Amino acid sequence: MNELASPAVQGQDPEIDASADGRAAEIIQLRDAVLEKLNYSVGKDRNTASERDWFIAVALATRDRIVNDWMRSVREAYRENRRRVYYLSLEFLIGRLLMDSLTNLGLVEPMRAALAGLDIDLDKLRNVEPDAALGNGGLGRLAACFMESMATLSIAAHGYGIRYDHGLFRQTISDGWQHEFPEDWLDFGNPWEFPRPEVNYNIGFGGVVDSTPRPHGTPTQVWRPSETVVAVAYDTPVVGWRGVQVNTLRLWSARAQDPLRLDVFNQGDYVGALADQVRAESISKILYPSDSTPAGQELRLRQEYFFASASLQDLIRRHLKQNGDIDTLADKVAIQLNDTHPAIGVAELMRLLVDVYGLEWDRAWEITQATFSYTNHTLLPEALETWPAPLMERLLPRHMQIIYLINARHLDNLRADGVNDPGKLSALSVIDEHNGRHVRMGHLAFLGSHKVNGVSALHSELVKETVFRDLHEIFPDRIVNKTNGVTFRRWLFEANPHLTRLLEETIGKGFYDDASELEKLEPLASDLDFQARYSSARQANKGALANLIADRMLIKVDPSALFDVQIKRIHEYKRQLLNILETIALYNEIRAQPMRDFVPRVKIFAGKAAASYHMAKLIIKLANDVARVVNNDPTVRDLLKVVFLPNYNVSLAEVIIPAADLSEQISTAGMEASGTGNMKMALNGALTIGTLDGANVEIKERVGDDNIFIFGLTAEEVAARRAQGNDAQETIAASPVLREVLESIADGAFSPDDRNRYAALVDMLTYHDYFLVTADFDAYYAAQAAVGRRWRDRKTWWRSAILNTARTGWFSSDRAIAEYAEEIWKVPVRRT
């Protein structure tokens, strides 16, 4: 027994029910473990320990509980020689891990009780933990949900990514403008990870390729890089539900081969002596360095190759250790490319198979295609990466040889099949010859994979019709759909304990293991007593969000008002601008028509704009300028408040989502691949206002037309409208409300210090409205009015909210992963 333990720990604790011997013993064990970690790992006495010290101690004690299951999972995977899944993603937005781990281990309440006996509040400790800054938005959060679901379904899986020192930037708002600063998530260490310095791989860049003749065969190509960076592994265990399996998230950190040029240092050039180290370590410094400069482009490409190469070398090592034969790789390995960022892995695997392991080209290509599958996340041309061929030839000369050969063989096969039209061949080529030669990484991922999937039913069809139309014609069976999902453990059980407890009391515990059990709520949707309890649970969440807004923004909002929420990356196609314009219209109405009985509403925005995305930053500024004017106008009488919460991350989302009444999913139809925020908010009882875009289509099908607010142009109508041009003068002239809004912005009503601040924005909407904000404004304005009417009919509103929770079980990431496992990866799943 730890000599520093409290008297209550030494023996039976009087606060613990003596009849619950098993639970009491577990609580005492946890308390002892935390104190031991505090003393011997953190090196602090309980009387002087800070909250951060306690958090580290609790995290380490929890991690110890995970390790046994982790080792067991690894042993079982080796013993059963299972086919392994490797998920390659440049982002893993894992968020805080303390409550996630405790929840999945079933230790939340025992740990809470253990800490209570030490006068420590678990909920305070959870807020001490920094968010892991390893992602930007939906793509990274999806990767995190998928990793957790793979463990829950007992799939032997590894995630591979980069251990960014700072990750995505920390956003601050000063005078309404976004400013970016390095995120400091690693400043106090990361108690969840295990450094693996012994697991390291050399990653080459530049240099030359030598051709060595062979007596009976094609010459051997030998790449001699001019620069080598070392990838060092850091492992984080990922716990599945009920701890049935623990998988590994392996992140790579970049190191120089020689951290210091001692000869240069001794010559007095102390900065120059560290140049190689700085260049190497820049690879894992931040997520998404700006690619608006040649240097930024090169760093992005170095990042992508760095983690793809290290991951492939690592998984091949593991495969050979167990199976001994590289020829069986595709039988035992499935690799999922999460978007185009890891697409260079196709060329890298070919290089390893042909150059390192000596396979013939045709066999290597057969293994590569059978091993890889590729998830497409976007229809935006700028997000389907292309790299200048000269850059790739300089940085990855052997890979460019391989890519040229892949393309040549691909086009030869097409010509052999009768495809001779130059335009068609150009569209099908991996190499884009327009405006300078570029490598189409989406084409490379497509050709190197046996399956390509979209992430919602609509998106998958649009992938076939747009970005991969020509390839789909040649390979009609390759594109499949796998609609995204979210892990309910994080986004219901942890984020919304009030609602979770109500669900357990009402329909039992079955929904913890089977999300379809939520359907048992449907008969209660019109029950007034249950509606009252449901709204009460949500009101507690709204009160928590109102307190957070008051603390961070010094803005007082009414928890009984309608919380109208748009939280996502700031981008023109996501149309935060449309929401802001409607906010201004509502503000004008409230002032001009005080006799009307308006629904009190709080407009809540959060999201980051890319550092070099000027228009997105201007939209953030406009949101804050509108907030300043509206919130300080006494004539509004608190009927409307506008809040922009800075530095949106997973932890902030966990507070906002359970409190949202209205979920804004208003992207230009045909441009949002799926969305997962829409699923999270619908699960927690928010009603969606949105276009028929991404997973909104499937949410509408699941929850019913009466329980969602759909407006605006369809994807087909968007295409037809754009074909007519993007000039919106007639549209604006036909809408008095929109015209008034745009005139007020142009006149400087929200920017009296700089009346021309938004001139470019108004001009863009007027003459080049590519994202059709003006075209959808009137429909959106009418849909928002319908929202207000529904909110007044509280019985109908709560019926719709309950049905949203009851009918969104299908959007579980467990369902999505089970589909991947069965149809793409060909691995079994095991449910609890």
Side-chain angles (χ1 to χ4, degrees), residues 264-293:
V264 177
F265 188 90
N266 287 332
Q267 292 170 8
D269 186 0
Y270 308 128
V271 174
L274 297 171
D276 290 346
Q277 178 186 6
V278 171
R279 176 172 169 80
E281 294 183 1
S282 67
I283 291 174
S284 54
K285 280 295 178 189
I286 66 169
L287 170 66
Y288 295 143
S290 173
D291 59 358
S292 59
T293 65

PDB file of all heavy atoms in Angstrom, residues 264-293:
ATOM      1  N   VAL A 264      30.489  21.968 -38.335  1.00  0.00           N
ATOM      2  CA  VAL A 264      29.974  23.311 -38.597  1.00  0.00           C
ATOM      3  C   VAL A 264      29.794  24.069 -37.282  1.00  0.00           C
ATOM      4  O   VAL A 264      30.094  25.263 -37.189  1.00  0.00           O
ATOM      5  CB  VAL A 264      28.637  23.234 -39.378  1.00  0.00           C
ATOM      6  CG1 VAL A 264      28.056  24.626 -39.588  1.00  0.00           C
ATOM      7  CG2 VAL A 264      28.843  22.537 -40.720  1.00  0.00           C
ATOM      8  N   PHE A 265      29.300  23.373 -36.260  1.00  0.00           N
ATOM      9  CA  PHE A 265      29.117  24.003 -34.954  1.00  0.00           C
ATOM     10  C   PHE A 265      30.451  24.525 -34.414  1.00  0.00           C
ATOM     11  O   PHE A 265      30.538  25.646 -33.904  1.00  0.00           O
ATOM     12  CB  PHE A 265      28.506  22.985 -33.984  1.00  0.00           C
ATOM     13  CG  PHE A 265      28.102  23.556 -32.659  1.00  0.00           C
ATOM     14  CD1 PHE A 265      26.829  24.068 -32.479  1.00  0.00           C
ATOM     15  CD2 PHE A 265      28.990  23.586 -31.592  1.00  0.00           C
ATOM     16  CE1 PHE A 265      26.442  24.596 -31.256  1.00  0.00           C
ATOM     17  CE2 PHE A 265      28.617  24.113 -30.371  1.00  0.00           C
ATOM     18  CZ  PHE A 265      27.336  24.623 -30.201  1.00  0.00           C
ATOM     19  N   ASN A 266      31.489  23.704 -34.531  1.00  0.00           N
ATOM     20  CA  ASN A 266      32.802  24.089 -34.003  1.00  0.00           C
ATOM     21  C   ASN A 266      33.456  25.216 -34.793  1.00  0.00           C
ATOM     22  O   ASN A 266      34.395  25.851 -34.321  1.00  0.00           O
ATOM     23  CB  ASN A 266      33.726  22.883 -33.963  1.00  0.00           C
ATOM     24  CG  ASN A 266      33.353  21.922 -32.845  1.00  0.00           C
ATOM     25  OD1 ASN A 266      32.794  22.340 -31.832  1.00  0.00           O
ATOM     26  ND2 ASN A 266      33.654  20.640 -33.026  1.00  0.00           N
ATOM     27  N   GLN A 267      32.926  25.465 -36.005  1.00  0.00           N
ATOM     28  CA  GLN A 267      33.410  26.604 -36.790  1.00  0.00           C
ATOM     29  C   GLN A 267      32.685  27.889 -36.413  1.00  0.00           C
ATOM     30  O   GLN A 267      32.970  28.951 -36.973  1.00  0.00           O
ATOM     31  CB  GLN A 267      33.227  26.321 -38.280  1.00  0.00           C
ATOM     32  CG  GLN A 267      34.128  25.210 -38.812  1.00  0.00           C
ATOM     33  CD  GLN A 267      33.766  24.785 -40.223  1.00  0.00           C
ATOM     34  OE1 GLN A 267      32.933  25.432 -40.866  1.00  0.00           O
ATOM     35  NE2 GLN A 267      34.378  23.717 -40.699  1.00  0.00           N
ATOM     36  N   GLY A 268      31.745  27.789 -35.478  1.00  0.00           N
ATOM     37  CA  GLY A 268      31.041  28.968 -35.007  1.00  0.00           C
ATOM     38  C   GLY A 268      29.700  29.218 -35.677  1.00  0.00           C
ATOM     39  O   GLY A 268      28.990  30.143 -35.304  1.00  0.00           O
ATOM     40  N   ASP A 269      29.341  28.369 -36.652  1.00  0.00           N
ATOM     41  CA  ASP A 269      28.037  28.541 -37.321  1.00  0.00           C
ATOM     42  C   ASP A 269      27.009  27.697 -36.591  1.00  0.00           C
ATOM     43  O   ASP A 269      26.641  26.606 -37.024  1.00  0.00           O
ATOM     44  CB  ASP A 269      28.146  28.126 -38.789  1.00  0.00           C
ATOM     45  CG  ASP A 269      26.872  28.413 -39.568  1.00  0.00           C
ATOM     46  OD1 ASP A 269      25.912  28.943 -38.965  1.00  0.00           O
ATOM     47  OD2 ASP A 269      26.833  28.099 -40.779  1.00  0.00           O
ATOM     48  N   TYR A 270      26.538  28.224 -35.458  1.00  0.00           N
ATOM     49  CA  TYR A 270      25.661  27.435 -34.599  1.00  0.00           C
ATOM     50  C   TYR A 270      24.287  27.208 -35.223  1.00  0.00           C
ATOM     51  O   TYR A 270      23.676  26.160 -35.032  1.00  0.00           O
ATOM     52  CB  TYR A 270      25.527  28.131 -33.244  1.00  0.00           C
ATOM     53  CG  TYR A 270      26.860  28.457 -32.622  1.00  0.00           C
ATOM     54  CD1 TYR A 270      27.154  29.741 -32.167  1.00  0.00           C
ATOM     55  CD2 TYR A 270      27.852  27.486 -32.513  1.00  0.00           C
ATOM     56  CE1 TYR A 270      28.380  30.043 -31.614  1.00  0.00           C
ATOM     57  CE2 TYR A 270      29.084  27.778 -31.960  1.00  0.00           C
ATOM     58  CZ  TYR A 270      29.347  29.062 -31.516  1.00  0.00           C
ATOM     59  OH  TYR A 270      30.571  29.355 -30.991  1.00  0.00           O
ATOM     60  N   VAL A 271      23.823  28.181 -35.971  1.00  0.00           N
ATOM     61  CA  VAL A 271      22.533  28.017 -36.652  1.00  0.00           C
ATOM     62  C   VAL A 271      22.680  27.046 -37.816  1.00  0.00           C
ATOM     63  O   VAL A 271      21.860  26.132 -38.004  1.00  0.00           O
ATOM     64  CB  VAL A 271      22.006  29.379 -37.139  1.00  0.00           C
ATOM     65  CG1 VAL A 271      20.741  29.189 -37.970  1.00  0.00           C
ATOM     66  CG2 VAL A 271      21.728  30.298 -35.949  1.00  0.00           C
ATOM     67  N   GLY A 272      23.721  27.207 -38.601  1.00  0.00           N
ATOM     68  CA  GLY A 272      23.939  26.317 -39.739  1.00  0.00           C
ATOM     69  C   GLY A 272      24.132  24.875 -39.323  1.00  0.00           C
ATOM     70  O   GLY A 272      23.768  23.947 -40.060  1.00  0.00           O
ATOM     71  N   ALA A 273      24.692  24.663 -38.134  1.00  0.00           N
ATOM     72  CA  ALA A 273      24.908  23.302 -37.655  1.00  0.00           C
ATOM     73  C   ALA A 273      23.602  22.557 -37.433  1.00  0.00           C
ATOM     74  O   ALA A 273      23.572  21.326 -37.427  1.00  0.00           O
ATOM     75  CB  ALA A 273      25.716  23.347 -36.357  1.00  0.00           C
ATOM     76  N   LEU A 274      22.518  23.293 -37.249  1.00  0.00           N
ATOM     77  CA  LEU A 274      21.208  22.684 -37.002  1.00  0.00           C
ATOM     78  C   LEU A 274      20.322  22.669 -38.237  1.00  0.00           C
ATOM     79  O   LEU A 274      19.159  22.268 -38.161  1.00  0.00           O
ATOM     80  CB  LEU A 274      20.494  23.445 -35.879  1.00  0.00           C
ATOM     81  CG  LEU A 274      21.174  23.408 -34.505  1.00  0.00           C
ATOM     82  CD1 LEU A 274      20.488  24.383 -33.564  1.00  0.00           C
ATOM     83  CD2 LEU A 274      21.139  22.003 -33.930  1.00  0.00           C
ATOM     84  N   ALA A 275      20.864  23.091 -39.381  1.00  0.00           N
ATOM     85  CA  ALA A 275      20.039  23.246 -40.583  1.00  0.00           C
ATOM     86  C   ALA A 275      19.413  21.924 -41.012  1.00  0.00           C
ATOM     87  O   ALA A 275      18.219  21.867 -41.353  1.00  0.00           O
ATOM     88  CB  ALA A 275      20.879  23.835 -41.719  1.00  0.00           C
ATOM     89  N   ASP A 276      20.195  20.837 -41.004  1.00  0.00           N
ATOM     90  CA  ASP A 276      19.642  19.544 -41.419  1.00  0.00           C
ATOM     91  C   ASP A 276      18.536  19.090 -40.474  1.00  0.00           C
ATOM     92  O   ASP A 276      17.524  18.532 -40.904  1.00  0.00           O
ATOM     93  CB  ASP A 276      20.751  18.490 -41.459  1.00  0.00           C
ATOM     94  CG  ASP A 276      21.732  18.720 -42.601  1.00  0.00           C
ATOM     95  OD1 ASP A 276      21.409  19.522 -43.501  1.00  0.00           O
ATOM     96  OD2 ASP A 276      22.823  18.108 -42.589  1.00  0.00           O
ATOM     97  N   GLN A 277      18.743  19.335 -39.184  1.00  0.00           N
ATOM     98  CA  GLN A 277      17.729  18.954 -38.209  1.00  0.00           C
ATOM     99  C   GLN A 277      16.435  19.729 -38.424  1.00  0.00           C
ATOM    100  O   GLN A 277      15.342  19.157 -38.419  1.00  0.00           O
ATOM    101  CB  GLN A 277      18.243  19.197 -36.790  1.00  0.00           C
ATOM    102  CG  GLN A 277      17.219  18.857 -35.709  1.00  0.00           C
ATOM    103  CD  GLN A 277      17.694  19.234 -34.316  1.00  0.00           C
ATOM    104  OE1 GLN A 277      18.743  19.842 -34.164  1.00  0.00           O
ATOM    105  NE2 GLN A 277      16.929  18.890 -33.315  1.00  0.00           N
ATOM    106  N   VAL A 278      16.552  21.023 -38.646  1.00  0.00           N
ATOM    107  CA  VAL A 278      15.370  21.861 -38.853  1.00  0.00           C
ATOM    108  C   VAL A 278      14.630  21.432 -40.113  1.00  0.00           C
ATOM    109  O   VAL A 278      13.396  21.320 -40.125  1.00  0.00           O
ATOM    110  CB  VAL A 278      15.771  23.350 -38.929  1.00  0.00           C
ATOM    111  CG1 VAL A 278      14.583  24.199 -39.360  1.00  0.00           C
ATOM    112  CG2 VAL A 278      16.308  23.824 -37.585  1.00  0.00           C
ATOM    113  N   ARG A 279      15.380  21.160 -41.179  1.00  0.00           N
ATOM    114  CA  ARG A 279      14.744  20.755 -42.441  1.00  0.00           C
ATOM    115  C   ARG A 279      14.012  19.427 -42.275  1.00  0.00           C
ATOM    116  O   ARG A 279      12.878  19.264 -42.740  1.00  0.00           O
ATOM    117  CB  ARG A 279      15.795  20.652 -43.539  1.00  0.00           C
ATOM    118  CG  ARG A 279      15.249  20.151 -44.879  1.00  0.00           C
ATOM    119  CD  ARG A 279      16.292  20.266 -45.977  1.00  0.00           C
ATOM    120  NE  ARG A 279      15.883  19.571 -47.188  1.00  0.00           N
ATOM    121  CZ  ARG A 279      15.032  20.056 -48.090  1.00  0.00           C
ATOM    122  NH1 ARG A 279      14.487  21.256 -47.892  1.00  0.00           N
ATOM    123  NH2 ARG A 279      14.716  19.372 -49.171  1.00  0.00           N
ATOM    124  N   ALA A 280      14.645  18.482 -41.602  1.00  0.00           N
ATOM    125  CA  ALA A 280      14.020  17.176 -41.420  1.00  0.00           C
ATOM    126  C   ALA A 280      12.785  17.278 -40.525  1.00  0.00           C
ATOM    127  O   ALA A 280      11.713  16.765 -40.863  1.00  0.00           O
ATOM    128  CB  ALA A 280      15.022  16.200 -40.825  1.00  0.00           C
ATOM    129  N   GLU A 281      12.929  17.955 -39.410  1.00  0.00           N
ATOM    130  CA  GLU A 281      11.842  17.993 -38.440  1.00  0.00           C
ATOM    131  C   GLU A 281      10.685  18.864 -38.881  1.00  0.00           C
ATOM    132  O   GLU A 281       9.587  18.773 -38.311  1.00  0.00           O
ATOM    133  CB  GLU A 281      12.375  18.430 -37.078  1.00  0.00           C
ATOM    134  CG  GLU A 281      13.338  17.415 -36.468  1.00  0.00           C
ATOM    135  CD  GLU A 281      13.828  17.789 -35.090  1.00  0.00           C
ATOM    136  OE1 GLU A 281      13.402  18.857 -34.570  1.00  0.00           O
ATOM    137  OE2 GLU A 281      14.640  17.029 -34.534  1.00  0.00           O
ATOM    138  N   SER A 282      10.889  19.701 -39.888  1.00  0.00           N
ATOM    139  CA  SER A 282       9.775  20.504 -40.410  1.00  0.00           C
ATOM    140  C   SER A 282       8.666  19.615 -40.961  1.00  0.00           C
ATOM    141  O   SER A 282       7.503  20.030 -41.017  1.00  0.00           O
ATOM    142  CB  SER A 282      10.267  21.465 -41.492  1.00  0.00           C
ATOM    143  OG  SER A 282      10.708  20.755 -42.646  1.00  0.00           O
ATOM    144  N   ILE A 283       9.013  18.400 -41.345  1.00  0.00           N
ATOM    145  CA  ILE A 283       8.013  17.484 -41.915  1.00  0.00           C
ATOM    146  C   ILE A 283       6.897  17.201 -40.926  1.00  0.00           C
ATOM    147  O   ILE A 283       5.723  17.114 -41.306  1.00  0.00           O
ATOM    148  CB  ILE A 283       8.703  16.171 -42.362  1.00  0.00           C
ATOM    149  CG1 ILE A 283       9.600  16.440 -43.573  1.00  0.00           C
ATOM    150  CG2 ILE A 283       7.674  15.103 -42.684  1.00  0.00           C
ATOM    151  CD1 ILE A 283      10.427  15.242 -43.999  1.00  0.00           C
ATOM    152  N   SER A 284       7.235  17.056 -39.651  1.00  0.00           N
ATOM    153  CA  SER A 284       6.206  16.726 -38.665  1.00  0.00           C
ATOM    154  C   SER A 284       5.920  17.884 -37.710  1.00  0.00           C
ATOM    155  O   SER A 284       5.451  17.667 -36.589  1.00  0.00           O
ATOM    156  CB  SER A 284       6.613  15.473 -37.873  1.00  0.00           C
ATOM    157  OG  SER A 284       7.891  15.623 -37.292  1.00  0.00           O
ATOM    158  N   LYS A 285       6.164  19.099 -38.150  1.00  0.00           N
ATOM    159  CA  LYS A 285       5.893  20.262 -37.297  1.00  0.00           C
ATOM    160  C   LYS A 285       4.418  20.619 -37.268  1.00  0.00           C
ATOM    161  O   LYS A 285       3.811  20.735 -36.210  1.00  0.00           O
ATOM    162  CB  LYS A 285       6.716  21.473 -37.769  1.00  0.00           C
ATOM    163  CG  LYS A 285       8.156  21.479 -37.321  1.00  0.00           C
ATOM    164  CD  LYS A 285       8.259  21.606 -35.809  1.00  0.00           C
ATOM    165  CE  LYS A 285       9.709  21.561 -35.356  1.00  0.00           C
ATOM    166  NZ  LYS A 285       9.825  21.480 -33.889  1.00  0.00           N
ATOM    167  N   ILE A 286       3.820  20.852 -38.435  1.00  0.00           N
ATOM    168  CA  ILE A 286       2.428  21.316 -38.472  1.00  0.00           C
ATOM    169  C   ILE A 286       1.646  20.579 -39.549  1.00  0.00           C
ATOM    170  O   ILE A 286       2.217  20.062 -40.516  1.00  0.00           O
ATOM    171  CB  ILE A 286       2.320  22.841 -38.713  1.00  0.00           C
ATOM    172  CG1 ILE A 286       2.838  23.218 -40.109  1.00  0.00           C
ATOM    173  CG2 ILE A 286       3.043  23.614 -37.632  1.00  0.00           C
ATOM    174  CD1 ILE A 286       2.513  24.631 -40.502  1.00  0.00           C
ATOM    175  N   LEU A 287       0.352  20.539 -39.358  1.00  0.00           N
ATOM    176  CA  LEU A 287      -0.562  19.957 -40.332  1.00  0.00           C
ATOM    177  C   LEU A 287      -0.890  20.986 -41.411  1.00  0.00           C
ATOM    178  O   LEU A 287      -1.162  22.149 -41.108  1.00  0.00           O
ATOM    179  CB  LEU A 287      -1.850  19.523 -39.622  1.00  0.00           C
ATOM    180  CG  LEU A 287      -3.044  19.110 -40.484  1.00  0.00           C
ATOM    181  CD1 LEU A 287      -2.737  17.833 -41.250  1.00  0.00           C
ATOM    182  CD2 LEU A 287      -4.273  18.921 -39.603  1.00  0.00           C
ATOM    183  N   TYR A 288      -0.878  20.542 -42.656  1.00  0.00           N
ATOM    184  CA  TYR A 288      -1.263  21.377 -43.786  1.00  0.00           C
ATOM    185  C   TYR A 288      -0.525  22.715 -43.840  1.00  0.00           C
ATOM    186  O   TYR A 288      -1.130  23.788 -43.720  1.00  0.00           O
ATOM    187  CB  TYR A 288      -2.763  21.660 -43.791  1.00  0.00           C
ATOM    188  CG  TYR A 288      -3.618  20.440 -43.997  1.00  0.00           C
ATOM    189  CD1 TYR A 288      -4.830  20.292 -43.345  1.00  0.00           C
ATOM    190  CD2 TYR A 288      -3.217  19.413 -44.854  1.00  0.00           C
ATOM    191  CE1 TYR A 288      -5.626  19.171 -43.519  1.00  0.00           C
ATOM    192  CE2 TYR A 288      -4.006  18.283 -45.037  1.00  0.00           C
ATOM    193  CZ  TYR A 288      -5.210  18.170 -44.369  1.00  0.00           C
ATOM    194  OH  TYR A 288      -5.987  17.053 -44.550  1.00  0.00           O
ATOM    195  N   PRO A 289       0.804  22.680 -44.010  1.00  0.00           N
ATOM    196  CA  PRO A 289       1.487  23.953 -44.279  1.00  0.00           C
ATOM    197  C   PRO A 289       0.931  24.541 -45.570  1.00  0.00           C
ATOM    198  O   PRO A 289       0.537  23.802 -46.485  1.00  0.00           O
ATOM    199  CB  PRO A 289       2.955  23.536 -44.440  1.00  0.00           C
ATOM    200  CG  PRO A 289       2.898  22.093 -44.842  1.00  0.00           C
ATOM    201  CD  PRO A 289       1.709  21.523 -44.132  1.00  0.00           C
ATOM    202  N   SER A 290       0.876  25.842 -45.649  1.00  0.00           N
ATOM    203  CA  SER A 290       0.310  26.490 -46.835  1.00  0.00           C
ATOM    204  C   SER A 290       1.055  26.042 -48.077  1.00  0.00           C
ATOM    205  O   SER A 290       2.290  26.046 -48.126  1.00  0.00           O
ATOM    206  CB  SER A 290       0.397  28.011 -46.688  1.00  0.00           C
ATOM    207  OG  SER A 290       0.002  28.635 -47.892  1.00  0.00           O
ATOM    208  N   ASP A 291       0.309  25.637 -49.099  1.00  0.00           N
ATOM    209  CA  ASP A 291       0.929  25.220 -50.355  1.00  0.00           C
ATOM    210  C   ASP A 291       0.811  26.308 -51.422  1.00  0.00           C
ATOM    211  O   ASP A 291       0.839  26.027 -52.612  1.00  0.00           O
ATOM    212  CB  ASP A 291       0.322  23.913 -50.859  1.00  0.00           C
ATOM    213  CG  ASP A 291      -1.175  24.013 -51.106  1.00  0.00           C
ATOM    214  OD1 ASP A 291      -1.753  25.093 -50.857  1.00  0.00           O
ATOM    215  OD2 ASP A 291      -1.781  23.024 -51.542  1.00  0.00           O
ATOM    216  N   SER A 292       0.689  27.557 -50.960  1.00  0.00           N
ATOM    217  CA  SER A 292       0.581  28.673 -51.911  1.00  0.00           C
ATOM    218  C   SER A 292       1.937  29.095 -52.460  1.00  0.00           C
ATOM    219  O   SER A 292       2.009  29.935 -53.351  1.00  0.00           O
ATOM    220  CB  SER A 292      -0.104  29.871 -51.234  1.00  0.00           C
ATOM    221  OG  SER A 292       0.636  30.294 -50.093  1.00  0.00           O
ATOM    222  N   THR A 293       3.012  28.526 -51.922  1.00  0.00           N
ATOM    223  CA  THR A 293       4.366  28.811 -52.407  1.00  0.00           C
ATOM    224  C   THR A 293       5.012  27.498 -52.835  1.00  0.00           C
ATOM    225  O   THR A 293       4.620  26.414 -52.374  1.00  0.00           O
ATOM    226  CB  THR A 293       5.229  29.459 -51.311  1.00  0.00           C
ATOM    227  OG1 THR A 293       5.416  28.507 -50.249  1.00  0.00           O
ATOM    228  CG2 THR A 293       4.563  30.712 -50.759  1.00  0.00           C
TER     229      THR A 293
END
